[in-house]
Amino acid sequence: MELKIWPLDATYTVVGGVPEVRIFGISESSERVVVVDRSFRPYFYLDCPVCDAAAVKASLSRVAPVGAVEVVERRFLGRPRRFLKAVAKIPEDIRKLREAALAVPGVSGVYEADIRFYMRYMIDKGVVPCGWNIAEVEEAGRLGHLPQYVVKEWRGISPGFPPALRVLAFDIEVYNERGSPDPARDPVILIAVKTGEGKEEVFETSGDDRDALRGFVEFVRSYDPDVVVGYNSNNFDWPYLAERARTVGVPLRLDRLGGLPQQSVYGHWSVVGRANVDLYNIVEEFPEIKLKTLDRVAEYFGVMKRTERVLIPGHKIYEYWNDPSKRQLLRQYVLDDVRSTLGLADKLLPFLIQLSAVSGLPLDQVAAASVGNRVEWMLLRYAYRMGEVAPNREEREYEPYRGAIVLEPRPGLYDDILVLDFSSMYPNVMMRYNLSPDTYLEPGEPDPPDGVVVAPEVGHKFRKSPPGFVPQVLRELVALRKVVREEMRKYPPHSPGYRVLDERQRALKVMANAMYGYLGWVGARWYRREVAESVTAFARAILRDVIEQARKMGIVVIYGDTDSLFIKRGGDVERLMRYVEEQYGIEIKVDKEYVKVLFTEAKKRYAGLLRDGRVDIVGFEVVRGDWSELAKEVQLKVVEIILTSRNAAEARQNVIKYVKDVITKLKGYQFEIDDLIIWKTLDKELEEYKAHPPHVSAALLLKKRGYRVGKGTTIGYVVVKGGEKVSERAVPYILLDDPKRIDVDYYVEKQIIPAALRIAEVVGVKEGDLKTGRAEKSLLDFL
């Protein structure tokens, strides 16, 4: 029979000495099913032009059972090569066989021995996660509570929109009287859940937390979600729940086969048969969201305003639990969190689903995986289709190379600025000039008959033909995106179909644009610094030429960086855009319109006031982890003041007044301690630190008081009066007995004023302006 299945999760197990691939998914009739295949075997390639296949098989068989060793013709970095393909019986033997193969005389390399078995299966069979796949199957009873089918043949993919998914959001609160909670000691006090259909429930601890944990398990098993979403759940909720459940003896049997959640690749937690998605993983990739707390992210995406929800500082959870009069607020707080999480899922899951389908990574892994890993799994699929054997990953030292900044801005304020965006600049450069690891010519290698292209400045050479591996992949991504965008025209802009297709074209664009960065990532299989270096060299040459043309046309260029130009409004912009498209085949468009832009002295740091009143900030220190919340807020506010003031002189006066008001309140101890806490994570065990920066000193104080701290613990501390060094004055906030101990002068001198000045110096604010009773005169005051 034919089965149309939308794969949600993939895994494998060994049954009776035979590996069994399991694909969990949803059928066209909305039935949750599992498809199994026991016919596929793991394999890898040996590079040995002179080896005899039979002799190699005999040698390897002394280490572990070998199914076959055969001669195959493949390509390696674009060149034909003879390989031996060694097939093992079970995946667990691959590592032993790989080591044995490397010891065989004449073997110069072993390839693709590190590809996870179920991913190898999906690549070879063309199974696409989060897409409709057609298979010839036969019924085979049930696996767990799911109908089971045995695959006879995969027949390809079929277009169509995703099925209706059962989505469950969850959030936990734990008792934390001693600061960082310890699952061996501190109970889970609340677990909130909300389903996509709107059902919500809070499981509450009474006495101990066994009943809350059991209630959560029963709810999950009863609802049987396809997707489970959390926020920072891979780092906190799942590991805490797993350890706590073990401690109190409650089996956390949440997966579709009755098993326990397990930590898996990329640090994500696997719940077999379901897709566990930590939305924080993908939010981390939004540089425009400076403070990534759930409440702020939910507000950014329009899910829930901070003014409309309960806000409780994390370290005070236990106080609300201990006080019966405040418990209802705590319940509302956890409900607001889980509602925000589900709302974020509605905004972000459609894109993650398409990113999963394009990259080939299952939905539960795609958010947790790095951008480089997403690109690599996609390239592995293309490589298999093209008969390419993938290079191995290697340990490499980082090799820096120049980026594509060609015109740095002078610090200052600029009015009426347009940002011209070169659409997919780097992919277009790679396709246009055939830049790829397999087209690169080593120094001294003779030029081929078809000729070469030479990268400007750096001088690297590349074959003009045949088309390289990476340019071929890029052309297919571009072509697919064009088809999707044409299909979008058939749907109204606010329809579900339009949204799915829009997310699809965005995923294709994101993956294409990530290709350049992947080639310069030292962890990449297809790493080639010379390719990445040449891409930026060509981009610089194009930008310089376009800047020269713009100036000839009377257009004032303020800043040129990577794939964008900042220009003053005025001049024949349309003519310039036509020039770019005709000369380089790159689409260019007006991406942003700023009423005002503020540039500081640093590269890639600017902020602009958009025409709709929003402030757009790029690269400022609001993302620094060693600044207090107050310092971050001051910097954001200073940016906003400067951009919304009528002129630089007014901005200077307004900034001075604002910062002085903040300082006055600080010195009058009118502050929330939470705003002064500095958060820093221990990146190694305490005993491994030779020096003791402030957060380590604070961690040592916690350890002396009996707290469990170590690598990965996030330490929150404040700076108090006392010793000379800051590290001697760093005190964990939970050990602070009197707010008057806080060294407000430290926060003024080392946090507030530096945060403000990094921005405000551009409008003439000096350090003395913020410290003295009256502002110093600036040149701006006389203009």
Side-chain angles (χ1 to χ4, degrees):
M1 62 175 283
E2 187 175 274
L3 179 71
K4 204 170 175 183
I5 180 174
W6 198 85
L8 190 66
D9 188 31
T11 185
Y12 85 93
T13 189
V14 177
V15 181
V18 176
E20 179 177 287
V21 176
R22 295 171 174 175
I23 307 288
F24 294 83
I26 302 168
S27 74
E28 195 174 22
S29 60
S30 298
E31 187 177 37
R32 274 61 185 172
V33 300
V34 58
V35 169
V36 302
D37 193 337
R38 292 168 58 83
S39 67
F40 191 71
R41 299 293 178 268
Y43 65 87
F44 59 91
Y45 296 104
L46 292 77
D47 186 3
C48 185
V50 299
C51 287
D52 177 71
V56 170
K57 181 180 180 183
S59 177
L60 296 182
S61 295
R62 298 186 194 107
V63 175
V66 177
V69 176
E70 59 181 343
V71 176
V72 293
E73 296 296 328
R74 296 287 187 271
R75 299 170 69 83
F76 188 75
L77 292 178
R79 294 163 175 82
R81 189 177 294 188
R82 174 189 184 270
F83 286 95
L84 294 181
K85 179 180 178 182
V87 183
K89 295 284 189 181
I90 59 173
E92 286 72 12
D93 288 341
I94 288 286
R95 184 174 294 180
K96 291 183 288 186
L97 291 169
R98 173 186 179 277
E99 296 306 313
L102 287 169
V104 172
V107 172
S108 59
V110 171
Y111 297 96
E112 300 197 5
D114 58 346
I115 297 176
R116 297 195 297 277
F117 181 60
Y118 62 88
M119 292 296 291
R120 171 86 277 170
Y121 177 86
M122 294 175 74
I123 289 169
D124 288 22
K125 300 294 185 181
V127 178
V128 177
C130 294
W132 289 107
N133 297 256
I134 301 170
E136 179 66 22
V137 301
E138 57 185 31
E139 295 182 37
R142 304 186 81 79
L143 184 63
H145 69 285
L146 299 173
Q148 179 180 221
Y149 298 90
V150 174
V151 174
K152 296 166 72 176
E153 180 190 6
W154 289 99
R155 293 182 173 169
I157 59 174
S158 173
F161 296 128
L165 297 172
R166 293 199 288 259
V167 180
L168 174 72
F170 81 106
D171 185 68
I172 71 171
E173 300 301 336
V174 303
Y175 195 75
N176 61 344
E177 189 171 15
R178 294 193 183 182
S180 294
D182 180 351
R185 174 193 66 215
D186 298 314
V188 176
I189 51 179
L190 296 170
I191 307 175
V193 293
K194 181 168 179 140
T195 72
E197 291 77 28
K199 184 177 181 181
E200 49 187 39
E201 199 162 331
V202 177
F203 303 99
E204 185 172 325
T205 289
S206 55
D208 62 41
D209 51 355
R210 288 181 177 85
D211 286 345
L213 291 167
R214 289 192 190 104
F216 175 59
V217 171
E218 181 55 37
F219 188 94
V220 173
R221 290 167 69 91
S222 173
Y223 180 60
D224 194 22
D226 303 308
V227 183
V228 181
V229 293
Y231 194 79
N232 199 33
S233 50
N234 281 331
N235 291 326
F236 181 73
D237 301 62
W238 282 119
Y240 202 96
L241 282 173
E243 183 61 33
R244 185 62 188 167
R246 275 194 295 269
T247 299
V248 299
V250 175
L252 209 63
R253 301 195 181 282
L254 295 171
D255 75 28
R256 277 189 157 142
L257 298 182
L260 309 177
Q262 300 286 337
Q263 193 164 27
S264 186
V265 291
Y266 315 122
H268 95 284
W269 280 70
S270 174
V271 185
V272 172
R274 315 187 196 282
N276 166 50
V277 178
D278 183 349
L279 298 170
Y280 179 77
N281 292 145
I282 199 68
V283 168
E284 281 189 299
E285 297 178 25
F286 285 78
E288 62 270 31
I289 306 176
K290 305 305 178 186
L291 306 174
K292 293 178 170 62
T293 56
L294 177 56
D295 54 296
R296 292 181 185 276
V297 172
E299 184 170 62
Y300 176 87
F301 282 103
V303 172
M304 183 182 293
K305 293 182 180 177
R306 296 180 78 239
T307 54
E308 296 173 352
R309 58 154 298 152
V310 173
L311 295 171
I312 297 175
H315 64 281
K316 292 185 177 179
I317 296 294
Y318 78 95
E319 292 182 13
Y320 283 73
W321 181 254
N322 287 343
D323 186 344
S325 68
K326 291 183 176 179
R327 276 200 187 181
Q328 187 52 42
L329 274 175
L330 188 59
R331 291 188 195 97
Q332 187 59 48
Y333 171 76
V334 75
L335 274 172
D336 286 343
D337 272 358
V338 81
R339 290 166 183 164
S340 294
T341 302
L342 189 68
L344 284 177
D346 182 60
K347 302 284 186 180
L348 299 174
L349 267 182
F351 173 66
L352 288 173
I353 285 168
Q354 298 304 324
L355 199 59
S356 169
V358 173
S359 68
L361 270 170
L363 181 58
D364 66 334
Q365 297 175 27
V366 74
S370 68
V371 174
N373 277 307
R374 292 173 201 153
V375 172
E376 188 154 285
W377 284 111
M378 179 185 70
L379 288 178
L380 284 167
R381 285 179 171 257
Y382 279 97
Y384 177 79
R385 278 171 38 193
M386 296 177 185
E388 287 271 347
V389 170
N392 289 325
R393 286 188 157 191
E394 299 175 15
E395 291 289 330
R396 304 181 181 94
E397 292 291 328
Y398 173 68
E399 300 176 276
Y401 53 89
R402 283 181 64 191
I405 293 179
V406 296
L407 179 65
E408 294 181 23
R410 291 183 180 179
L413 269 175
Y414 297 84
D415 296 327
D416 285 330
I417 299 296
L418 300 179
V419 182
L420 300 184
D421 176 66
F422 294 76
S423 181
S424 302
M425 167 76 98
Y426 287 171
N428 275 294
V429 164
M430 285 186 274
M431 289 186 288
R432 183 180 183 87
Y433 299 107
N434 205 28
L435 307 183
S436 187
D438 53 316
T439 61
Y440 171 67
L441 287 177
E442 296 283 354
E445 197 174 344
D447 291 358
D450 289 343
V452 297
V453 293
V454 181
E457 299 180 63
V458 294
H460 301 313
K461 292 182 177 181
F462 297 85
R463 291 179 180 83
K464 284 186 175 180
S465 64
F469 173 55
V470 169
Q472 286 184 74
V473 173
L474 286 170
R475 284 192 181 91
E476 186 158 334
L477 293 175
V478 169
L480 285 170
R481 184 168 179 243
K482 186 176 180 180
V483 169
V484 172
R485 294 179 78 176
E486 284 297 318
E487 186 70 15
M488 287 170 64
R489 299 175 186 273
K490 301 175 184 177
Y491 295 86
H494 299 293
S495 66
Y498 184 94
R499 184 184 179 192
V500 169
L501 292 167
D502 191 31
E503 300 292 7
R504 178 75 168 183
Q505 68 86 19
R506 187 159 73 97
L508 289 163
K509 179 182 178 181
V510 164
M511 293 295 282
N513 286 340
M515 197 76 75
Y516 149 76
Y518 170 80
L519 294 171
W521 172 44
V522 292
R525 293 177 189 273
W526 280 275
Y527 171 77
R528 193 86 229 191
R529 177 186 58 81
E530 291 85 353
V531 178
E533 196 167 58
S534 299
V535 173
T536 57
F538 274 113
R540 284 195 300 275
I542 291 170
L543 281 173
R544 285 196 194 99
D545 177 56
V546 175
I547 289 171
E548 184 181 342
Q549 293 299 320
R551 287 172 173 165
K552 288 178 180 177
M553 297 175 189
I555 297 170
V556 178
V557 182
I558 305 296
Y559 177 41
D561 173 18
T562 310
D563 58 0
S564 59
L565 290 181
F566 287 61
I567 64 172
K568 286 278 289 182
R569 182 185 290 278
D572 195 344
V573 177
E574 290 292 331
R575 184 178 160 207
L576 179 66
M577 293 164 71
R578 283 196 305 274
Y579 173 82
V580 173
E581 292 178 19
E582 290 167 6
Q583 186 74 15
Y584 297 106
I586 298 174
E587 183 185 347
I588 188 170
K589 63 182 184 210
V590 176
D591 184 44
K592 293 176 182 175
E593 295 187 43
Y594 291 118
V595 177
K596 210 177 289 184
V597 177
L598 166 70
F599 285 106
T600 69
E601 82 294 343
K603 299 176 184 178
K604 293 183 178 286
R605 287 180 183 166
Y606 60 87
L609 179 66
L610 295 163
R611 294 213 170 271
D612 62 7
R614 288 180 296 128
V615 173
D616 186 34
I617 297 176
V618 176
F620 288 137
E621 285 86 345
V622 286
V623 297
R624 273 181 48 173
D626 56 349
W627 282 26
S628 65
E629 195 71 21
L630 182 59
K632 295 173 185 176
E633 289 187 8
V634 163
Q635 190 170 81
L636 286 170
K637 186 64 178 176
V638 167
V639 169
E640 187 180 324
I641 288 171
I642 292 173
L643 291 175
T644 54
S645 297
R646 285 176 297 181
N647 52 53
E650 181 181 279
R652 177 173 174 266
Q653 293 171 358
N654 291 344
V655 166
I656 292 170
K657 180 180 184 306
Y658 164 72
V659 176
K660 281 189 170 183
D661 285 346
V662 171
I663 292 171
T664 299
K665 288 178 181 176
L666 254 179
K667 292 193 171 183
Y669 291 90
Q670 300 173 45
F671 54 75
E672 291 286 334
I673 291 175
D674 296 340
D675 291 337
L676 303 186
I677 296 171
I678 299 167
W679 297 95
K680 195 88 172 173
T681 300
L682 297 171
D683 55 14
K684 48 190 172 183
E685 298 298 341
L686 281 176
E687 57 272 15
E688 295 177 35
Y689 283 95
K690 294 178 182 177
H692 287 171
H695 71 295
V696 175
S697 297
L700 288 168
L701 290 175
L702 286 172
K703 189 175 181 181
K704 284 180 185 176
R705 293 289 190 97
Y707 292 88
R708 192 173 76 170
V709 293
K711 183 177 179 180
T713 304
T714 301
I715 306 297
Y717 67 91
V718 292
V719 178
V720 299
K721 301 167 187 171
E724 293 182 9
K725 296 180 179 178
V726 175
S727 57
E728 296 170 357
R729 300 186 281 127
V731 172
Y733 71 91
I734 54 175
L735 301 183
L736 183 71
D737 50 5
D738 181 4
K740 292 291 178 72
R741 287 184 63 204
I742 288 179
D743 185 357
V744 293
D745 289 333
Y746 165 82
Y747 284 92
V748 170
E749 300 287 337
K750 303 298 183 185
Q751 297 254 325
I752 305 308
I753 289 179
L757 280 178
R758 289 301 296 271
I759 314 300
E761 281 178 334
V762 170
V763 292
V765 176
K766 300 179 177 63
E767 188 173 353
D769 296 333
L770 306 178
K771 288 183 175 180
T772 58
R774 60 188 179 83
E776 298 176 19
K777 288 288 184 182
S778 147
L779 178 63
L780 292 167
D781 292 304
F782 299 98
L783 296 178

